[in-house]
Amino acid sequence: MLDAFVSAAGYMVGNPMSFLLILFSVIWGIVFGAVPGLTGIVGVALLIPFTFAFDPTEGMLLLGGVYVGSTFGGSIAAILFNTPGSPEAACTSLDGYPMAKRGEAGKALGIALAASAVGGIFGTLVLMFAAPPLARLALEFGPAEYFALAVLGITAIASIGGGSLVKGLIAGLLGLAVALIGLDPLTGTARFTFGNMMLLTGVSFIAAIIGIFALAEVLQRFADGPPKGEQMTQVSTQLPSFAEFMATKATLLRSSVIGTIIGALPGVGATTAAFISYSEAFRWSKKPELFGKGSPEGIAAPESGNNSAVGGSMIPLLALGIPGSATTAVMIGGLTIHGIVPGPMLMQNNSDLVYSVFIGMLLANILMLVFGLRAARLFAVVLRAPYQLVGPAIVVLCMTGVFALNNNVSDVAVMLVFGGVGFFLKSYGLPVASFIIGLVLGPIAEVSLRQGLILADHDIMTLVSRPITGTLLILSAVSLAYGIWGQIRRKPPSDGTPDAQPETS
Amino acid sequence: MLYKLSEVVVFAAMTIASVALWFTSDALPVSKRYAQVDSDMWPKMVFGALGICCAIHLAQKVAGLIAAPSGGPRTLDEELEAYVPQGYYTRLIVTGALIIGYFFALQYVGFLLATLVFLWAGSFILPYRNTLAKLLFAPAFTLLLAAFFSYGLSLSLPRGTGIFYDLSQALY
Amino acid sequence: MRGIALIAAVATTATPALASDYPERTVEIIHQYGPGGGTDRFIRAISEPMQEATGQSFVPISITGGGGVPAFVTFMQRPANGYTLVSLSPDDVINHALGRIDLSNVQPLVRIQYDQGLLLVSKDSDIRSLDDVLAAEAEEPGGLKVGVTGSAGFDDALIGLFNEEAGIELGTVPFGAAEMVSNTLGGHLDMMYEEYGPTRGLIESGDLIPIVLFSDERLEELPNVPTAAELGYDVTLGRWRGFGIRPSTDAAQIDTLVSLFKDAAADEGYKKVEADSALQYRSEFMGPDAFKTFLDKEVETYSTIMNQLGY
């Protein structure tokens, strides 16, 4: 292993070109992540034809760099404009935007960037040293375990918005209901599509979150009238101090571990990792009341979670030849075009390639941190521009990006509808966070529950008595009970119905 | 007061919708092979729970209205909820209409023209002293974005139909 | 920049071309599978030589989900100007048979690949041959679960047909392609159905063991894997890949495309990609007329199968 590592390092040093490639690919990735609608998958897919010109190792370095960059890139737009550039950044909006709105955009971007780098490096190190055992652990996860994992995330909907229990549940269940639209993945029956053919594929998640976050925010800001000049004019580009960042270290570690494991599971990726990291950070936080209002932990958790999932999703790719996420599926296509057969033999037959990718991903994270910290201060300045001009520009960018994603007008229509939904949720104090968690985790929970039941011959006891499933479900039940108890204790029910103020996220 | 009434109406509507959608789920076609885990299993769970939660919330709201029909002492949160800036609904409707108009314009007249007009119109909803910046920003941003998408990323932009399609075709 | 591309396009197609200035820009090929999947890779591979010949790109546009219906609807919304193609496969035929889409709206262009599928088990499985499968099924009908991709699609139809032929009741559980493999390796599923190409790495490492092949003859790559036909079950259907275009497209453009595809399918580089996935055995190039006849027959076959399966 050390030999392979040294020989790969030798290759990298002997090819100064590869450093340039990594730098280019990270920037390319950040752009694709940051433009709303465009995602890392598109960024990787567009680069594949160019990898023909390079040898396979350089090609993989390029794709790995894009993957790393795009996962962070999404958080820039999420923090500055409440516009998640890619699905995995949706969670970062929840606390990043409120913090930027307070005038601390530089701090929010700095935390996001540093957390991304920490998560990314953690995930890559695990990939380097523990890929085979972790791949075996991932194989232990069948449908029953996926279901339990989704339930663990979903139980957070009741408490996460900081408002009333019932409102959290309503918002979360609305998210679950929206996720039902489309073709039933098991039976092929159309559900709640109301005869619309384009809805058969379900509500496009990226279009929905851009509508809920970005459009709803623009509508709100324009309806609220001219800014009183109190908030956005004072934009601090001050980066977080080291001490401020280290205050989130427990969150960083927990989220990185969660992210790596979830990333390693085929079929669920960075988005799920970000949300489960966020709900766990909330659950274990000493200051849960700050969540949704600009909590540093609320930024650090999803960003370290989704970036560590990048390394995690490379685990099944390199150890077994099966993709851990949609982006790695595209990378597999890139490998096969070069005549490399992805599979368990890859690590032995192409160890130079594999170890170069490891080193490349570490470098990509470091470069991202070094250049990103400088860029973050620049980006934060954008907020000084008047919202009268920025608001419409955000709308244009969202529409163009969502359209370009699939060349599909109906995705843009979905985004408009969800702009309305987001506005509605805000107006009635229904927490957006709960809604989105339901939307993300609903399909995983449903499909895996039904697959699990088929495999267990429809016996629910067989399903829940599996060790990992049982543990996760008990954990969910305990934390749900704990959350409800905490809420009852905090707000005695005697004073009627304590309502949350309208959500600002 | 108006807000509280609208809350009652909204949550009542959602309760009714949940029940209706529960029955819609019940009417989904039956699959022989997956009879025990059919298409309606999960939707029924979701809409059942949603209906119950909405009903509970509705009951709380109605109880609150009956207990204090004409406001009574309001908490700070409620004050915040009730606060509506002047001209709020006008601006909301104008902005919403403009965005929807832009959506249709994109399909008929293509990206360049639609975006230019939208950005100009959008910047005039809210007052801003620097008119020159408003006038210059729209064409600059439109061209920048068009160049970025169609040359930088080689992704296609909406081209419109008819004569506009041919026009767009020539430009990007 | 566009000007240069135009000149280049004119220059390369100036040689005896059928529609002299076509294609003068990017041609998009809509398909219903994920980016990086078999069809996506196939389109990228076949378009390589075509890009060299024309100087224009042929890019796959992936519109996933909804059983392939949204991809087809998107194709139908595009103008019939020769710049949008749609990929065709047995899944589209099944959608037609189930009344979800109408294939009479497509002019079949070319069929290029004809694949063959395998039933695979994990190396930790007790099942080692088709006899083991039959024995297990005799003991407990419906006890074995096969992982398939897609719902009510080609995989489902094939397993259904095999069940009929063998008189057994293998249950199918739809998964995403990656989860299907991990669930088979992890022992959650008893078997899975997949083509040779995507599983080659795991077969070579010995993690997945193929037990039966659905084809006319054994594969040179897997000489020890019997075909279903030689064991007495006449199931030889395979997944094929081709292209279609809107019927009102200019005939000269169609001729140009067909000859471009024909040359590309014979290209050395493409042939190598084909051989990597053992696709060379049954892939026989078909032009519009032969493909149309083939498609009509497929519609009949799958209508019967789907009927038998109770759809």
Side-chain angles (χ1 to χ4, degrees):
Chain A
M1 159 152 189
L2 198 67
D3 295 351
F5 193 82
V6 170
S7 117
Y11 169 88
M12 301 279 288
V13 173
N15 279 289
M17 178 72 181
S18 52
F19 292 97
L20 272 179
L21 282 179
I22 294 173
L23 186 61
F24 164 78
S25 61
V26 170
I27 295 172
W28 175 271
I30 290 180
V31 169
F32 270 85
V35 175
L38 301 183
T39 58
I41 304 169
V42 185
V44 168
L46 280 180
L47 269 193
I48 284 206
F50 295 96
T51 63
F52 290 130
F54 302 108
D55 67 45
T57 308
E58 288 170 331
M60 280 302 279
L61 287 179
L62 208 55
L63 300 184
V66 176
Y67 196 8
V68 169
S70 67
T71 312
F72 161 70
S75 65
I76 298 175
I79 289 170
L80 296 180
F81 307 117
N82 205 27
T83 306
S86 43
E88 54 265 32
C91 222
T92 314
S93 289
L94 294 171
D95 279 280
Y97 184 66
M99 188 185 268
K101 225 176 162 183
R102 275 207 310 256
E104 297 177 288
K107 189 171 152 191
L109 283 170
I111 292 175
L113 186 62
S116 295
V118 168
I121 291 169
F122 182 92
T124 313
L125 289 176
V126 172
L127 170 69
M128 280 169 74
F129 296 107
L134 215 68
R136 270 195 297 279
L137 173 71
L139 292 185
E140 293 297 314
F141 276 69
E145 286 76 17
Y146 276 46
F147 171 67
L149 198 63
V151 168
L152 182 67
I154 288 175
T155 48
I157 62 174
S159 42
I160 209 162
S164 80
L165 180 72
V166 182
K167 281 192 169 179
L169 282 174
I170 292 176
L173 287 164
L174 279 176
L176 290 174
V178 168
L180 290 173
I181 296 172
L183 206 70
D184 177 349
L186 253 73
T187 61
T189 309
R191 293 190 298 190
F192 312 106
T193 56
F194 308 102
N196 186 326
M197 289 294 210
M198 292 313 284
L199 276 183
L200 281 175
T201 181
V203 169
S204 155
F205 180 66
I206 182 84
I209 55 165
I210 290 178
I212 288 179
F213 284 101
L215 275 192
E217 177 68 14
V218 173
L219 270 179
Q220 182 81 56
R221 296 270 303 257
F222 269 71
D224 278 344
K228 306 280 183 305
E230 82 283 359
Q231 20 178 245
M232 287 305 205
T233 44
Q234 285 299 313
V235 178
S236 158
T237 56
Q238 186 68 47
L239 296 170
S241 71
F242 188 68
E244 271 178 308
F245 181 66
M246 284 315 284
T248 61
K249 62 178 182 294
T251 305
L252 285 173
L253 182 66
R254 187 186 325 105
S255 307
S256 299
V257 172
I258 293 176
T260 313
I261 293 175
I262 291 179
L265 300 176
V268 287
T271 311
T272 315
F275 276 98
I276 294 189
S277 300
Y278 185 80
S279 44
E280 289 313 304
F282 170 76
R283 208 169 274 166
W284 298 93
S285 174
K286 291 194 186 69
K287 295 175 194 156
E289 68 279 2
L290 287 183
F291 274 68
K293 302 186 182 79
S295 157
E297 285 174 300
I299 302 172
E303 279 305 306
S304 49
N306 65 26
N307 282 277
S308 57
V310 172
S313 68
M314 301 283 281
I315 289 173
L317 171 75
L318 295 179
L320 299 168
I322 52 178
S325 69
T327 315
T328 43
V330 182
M331 290 167 89
I332 284 202
L335 274 180
T336 33
I337 286 174
H338 281 291
I340 293 172
V341 182
M345 309 302 280
L346 186 72
M347 283 226 186
Q348 286 156 35
N349 296 348
N350 301 74
S351 65
D352 259 16
L353 174 112
V354 172
Y355 281 89
S356 303
V357 171
F358 292 164
I359 299 176
M361 283 176 65
L362 280 180
L363 271 178
N365 275 295
I366 294 166
L367 284 177
M368 187 172 81
L369 188 63
V370 172
F371 287 91
L373 281 177
R374 281 175 176 72
R377 305 186 67 148
L378 273 177
F379 283 128
V381 175
V382 177
L383 286 185
R384 294 202 178 125
Y387 203 77
Q388 289 88 331
L389 302 183
V390 173
I394 292 175
V395 176
V396 169
L397 203 58
C398 292
M399 289 230 192
T400 320
V402 169
F403 174 83
L405 183 65
N406 274 336
N407 279 300
N408 194 340
V409 180
S410 47
D411 280 352
V412 185
V414 166
M415 183 184 80
L416 289 184
V417 170
F418 275 84
V421 170
F423 195 78
F424 164 80
L425 291 174
K426 268 187 202 178
S427 306
Y428 289 97
L430 296 169
V432 172
S434 303
F435 181 85
I436 303 276
I437 289 177
L439 192 59
V440 175
L441 298 179
I444 302 174
E446 175 186 10
V447 172
S448 54
L449 172 64
R450 292 166 66 195
Q451 286 168 338
L453 281 174
I454 298 175
L455 292 179
D457 290 318
H458 309 293
D459 181 8
I460 191 88
M461 283 322 287
T462 321
L463 192 84
V464 299
S465 61
R466 299 165 61 95
I468 302 177
T469 314
T471 316
L472 288 173
L473 286 176
I474 290 170
L475 216 62
S476 317
V478 169
S479 77
L480 187 65
Y482 179 77
I484 293 173
W485 181 71
Q487 209 160 32
I488 294 169
R489 198 187 41 172
R490 238 180 298 147
K491 296 174 191 164
S494 56
D495 65 358
T497 55
D499 274 348
Q501 62 192 33
E503 275 281 303
T504 43
S505 51
Chain B
M1 186 61 208
L2 203 64
Y3 177 78
K4 287 200 160 187
L5 271 180
S6 81
E7 264 188 324
V8 169
V9 174
V10 162
F11 287 102
M14 278 169 60
T15 313
I16 295 166
S18 308
V19 175
L21 286 168
W22 193 92
F23 283 102
T24 314
S25 322
D26 198 43
L28 283 171
V30 178
S31 160
K32 269 196 313 210
R33 294 157 61 211
Y34 301 114
Q36 280 168 286
V37 286
D38 212 346
S39 310
D40 61 343
M41 179 179 96
W42 186 258
K44 279 183 176 171
M45 286 160 68
V46 171
F47 288 120
L50 186 59
I52 292 169
C53 288
C54 288
I56 293 173
H57 196 61
L58 179 66
Q60 288 177 336
K61 289 291 157 197
V62 173
L65 263 186
I66 293 169
S70 57
R74 297 205 290 193
T75 65
L76 184 66
D77 282 354
E78 284 171 328
E79 287 284 357
L80 271 174
E81 267 183 12
Y83 173 69
V84 176
Q86 205 189 351
Y88 180 88
Y89 291 105
T90 319
R91 283 193 299 268
L92 181 66
I93 290 165
V94 170
T95 314
L98 202 61
I99 292 175
I100 291 168
Y102 176 53
F103 167 68
F104 286 106
L106 272 180
Q107 296 167 58
Y108 293 111
V109 304
F111 177 79
L112 283 183
L113 213 56
T115 306
L116 191 66
V117 173
F118 173 76
L119 284 177
W120 266 329
S123 64
F124 281 92
I125 297 177
L126 295 181
Y128 178 57
R129 59 192 187 287
N130 196 339
T131 313
L132 188 69
K134 278 184 185 179
L135 290 177
L136 289 183
F137 177 72
F141 189 74
T142 308
L143 288 177
L144 198 79
L145 210 61
F148 176 64
F149 271 87
S150 94
Y151 293 109
L153 307 179
S154 51
L155 290 168
S156 56
L157 292 166
R159 290 201 169 105
T161 50
I163 178 165
F164 296 108
Y165 185 88
D166 300 329
L167 187 74
S168 312
Q169 191 75 70
L171 292 168
Y172 56 89
Chain C
M1 190 172 152
R2 189 150 296 269
I4 297 165
L6 251 172
I7 293 162
V10 172
T12 45
T13 49
T15 40
L18 297 146
S20 56
D21 53 349
Y22 172 83
E24 50 175 7
R25 57 188 167 87
T26 301
V27 177
E28 295 180 333
I29 304 173
I30 295 176
H31 69 90
Q32 51 165 300
Y33 309 95
T39 301
D40 195 69
R41 266 142 57 182
F42 158 61
I43 296 172
R44 287 181 203 280
I46 193 86
S47 62
E48 261 287 291
M50 291 167 60
Q51 291 180 15
E52 271 168 39
T54 60
Q56 294 298 328
S57 329
F58 291 75
V59 295
I61 304 278
S62 157
I63 298 172
T64 56
V69 179
F72 195 82
V73 171
T74 309
F75 165 70
M76 292 303 298
Q77 288 166 348
R78 295 294 185 87
N81 57 6
Y83 288 97
T84 307
L85 308 185
V86 68
S87 102
L88 292 175
S89 76
D91 288 318
D92 297 289
V93 176
I94 289 170
N95 276 339
H96 176 85
L98 294 176
R100 289 177 183 162
I101 63 173
D102 186 359
L103 278 184
S104 62
N105 290 325
V106 189
Q107 153 87 50
L109 206 57
V110 291
R111 192 201 82 183
I112 295 175
Q113 292 189 342
Y114 198 115
D115 215 333
Q116 56 268 318
L118 296 157
L119 271 186
L120 302 122
V121 297
S122 155
K123 67 168 188 287
D124 305 321
S125 170
D126 297 329
I127 298 168
R128 274 291 176 273
S129 68
L130 201 55
D131 286 338
D132 295 343
V133 174
L134 297 178
E137 277 292 301
E139 211 163 279
E140 189 198 346
L144 292 181
K145 304 287 189 292
V146 186
V148 295
T149 49
S151 49
F154 170 75
D155 296 6
D156 238 0
L158 185 120
I159 300 294
L161 191 67
F162 181 62
N163 274 343
E164 295 254 328
E165 283 281 322
I168 54 176
E169 293 170 35
L170 296 175
T172 53
V173 192
F175 276 92
E179 292 107 295
M180 177 175 79
V181 178
S182 67
N183 275 289
T184 309
L185 290 174
H188 310 287
L189 276 168
D190 300 301
M191 281 177 278
M192 58 177 257
Y193 171 84
E194 182 61 283
E195 274 97 34
Y196 176 69
T199 48
R200 189 177 150 198
L202 287 158
I203 294 174
E204 282 173 0
S205 71
D207 288 270
L208 282 179
I209 299 168
I211 56 169
V212 67
L213 171 77
F214 298 102
S215 183
D216 309 304
E217 281 167 41
R218 292 192 182 201
L219 287 183
E220 258 170 50
E221 287 81 356
L222 304 168
N224 300 323
V225 181
T227 66
E230 70 186 73
L231 297 172
Y233 312 108
D234 183 27
V235 184
T236 58
L237 290 178
R239 184 180 282 282
W240 43 264
R241 299 186 177 95
F243 299 103
I245 199 164
R246 294 284 295 277
S248 47
T249 312
D250 183 35
Q253 289 182 343
I254 292 181
D255 288 345
T256 309
L257 280 173
V258 171
S259 72
L260 277 172
F261 273 118
K262 189 162 191 172
D263 293 345
D267 178 79
E268 280 302 308
Y270 171 72
K271 282 276 173 215
K272 202 189 155 300
V273 173
E274 223 179 49
D276 277 344
S277 299
L279 273 162
Q280 70 274 40
Y281 302 110
R282 296 209 286 176
S283 296
E284 170 201 349
F285 183 85
M286 279 185 181
D289 297 329
F291 189 21
K292 174 96 180 82
T293 320
F294 171 77
L295 211 52
D296 288 342
K297 233 182 86 207
E298 288 282 291
V299 169
E300 225 170 89
T301 314
Y302 285 103
S303 300
T304 322
I305 297 174
M306 294 320 272
N307 238 331
Q308 282 170 354
L309 294 179
Y311 281 102

